[in-house]
Amino acid sequence: MNTDESRKFIPGIVPPRGRSGPAWWFVLQESKLLVNQAPPFVSVPFLVDLGALELAPLCEHYLGQLDNCDCYAVEVVAETIPPAGMTFEGLRQVYGRLDENLFWIAARAVQIIDWDRTHRFCGRCGVELKMKTTERAKECPRCGLLHFPRLAPAIIVLVEQGNELLLARSRHFLPGMYSVLAGFVEPGESLEEAVVREVKEEVGVDIKDIQYFGSQPWPFPHSLMIGFTATYAGGEFSLDDSEIEEAGWFTVDNLPRIPGKISIARKLIDWFIDKQRGHLNF
Ligand SMILES: [Zn+2]
């Protein structure tokens, strides 16, 4: 749902031997991406050899191919000064200015680099881990424990009632911003159970007719958002004060400030708006 279908990204682990053509380089300084400035847009370096930029990568991970061109994630030290005409920018800042396919590969790069940086030693026996060459994993040379990139599944749900949708304000949101409800899936729980529990915990109401909507990687820092729609089934608002500041029912004509286009939250809300506008036209 995030990418232009005419451009194909094929994930890979094993880098090609003897590459001669240019590759896409996703150069990260902590979680910031090196971009070429071409106002109002940005791009990422497309070069045969990253050495042309005189950068000294700490590590390199092969990501796969976009339209037959190889893609790499590399990390550089925090003090690295960007080459002329380039800057390091956060992923959120480049959304909408970087080609959408490149953006989602960058999101992958951020998560893989973050995993590599934060999973150096075995959690069971403390020995330094070795990168596997055949899959995206690290292995403990002593006890054999495998460590995969960390991914935290979270549900996100749009609850509707007639021509209204439920929106709530988290304490962490920007002033005036409302969104649909979301929360992390707990061990032992199905996605549908997580949807029911989160809505009940956060705002106190019951829901029914849970339908899968779509999913989206959310690399802030390593979530996978799984979207659903549901219908209000009863109960009064009773807010979890530690999380939710305010919740209410809104029609498409009185929407508050809502999240930007990057998020699946916005895709859910836009879906509801389109549906309502369609209904109004009948
Ligand atoms: Zn171990």
Side-chain angles (χ1 to χ4, degrees), residues 222-237:
H222 45 69
S223 293
L224 172 66
M225 304 299 295
I226 304 128
F228 293 87
T229 60
T231 308
Y232 170 77
E236 297 292 321
F237 280 140

Side-chain angles (χ1 to χ4, degrees), residues 13-127:
I13 310 283
V14 184
R17 280 190 194 166
R19 177 176 53 79
S20 55
W24 295 105
W25 295 92
F26 298 84
V27 181
L28 292 157
Q29 185 183 58
E30 291 173 345
S31 52
K32 291 191 168 178
L33 180 69
L34 183 68
V35 289
N36 280 306
Q37 292 294 336
F41 301 107
V42 293
S43 189
V44 296
F46 186 60
L47 302 163
V48 174
D49 183 359
L50 193 62
L53 296 179
E54 296 185 352
L55 296 170
L58 296 168
C59 65
E60 182 177 302
H61 297 266
Y62 183 67
L63 300 174
Q65 286 192 324
L66 177 65
D67 288 343
N68 301 318
C69 291
D70 294 307
C71 301
Y72 296 84
V74 303
E75 184 186 14
V76 293
V77 294
E79 300 76 32
T80 303
I81 294 166
M86 307 182 91
T87 50
F88 287 103
E89 291 196 51
L91 274 189
R92 278 191 170 89
Q93 281 68 54
V94 300
Y95 185 77
R97 292 154 63 217
L98 178 64
D99 169 271
E100 183 114 8
N101 291 281
L102 294 175
F103 176 86
W104 290 108
I105 300 168
R108 230 174 241 266
V110 167
Q111 292 180 82
I112 290 167
I113 294 284
D114 179 68
W115 164 70
D116 186 23
R117 191 193 303 132
T118 57
H119 291 74
R120 299 258 185 234
F121 301 95
C122 180
R124 185 190 277 158
C125 62
V127 166

Side-chain angles (χ1 to χ4, degrees), residues 122 124-125 140 142-145:
C122 180
R124 185 190 277 158
C125 62
C140 173
R142 181 184 292 169
C143 76
L145 188 63

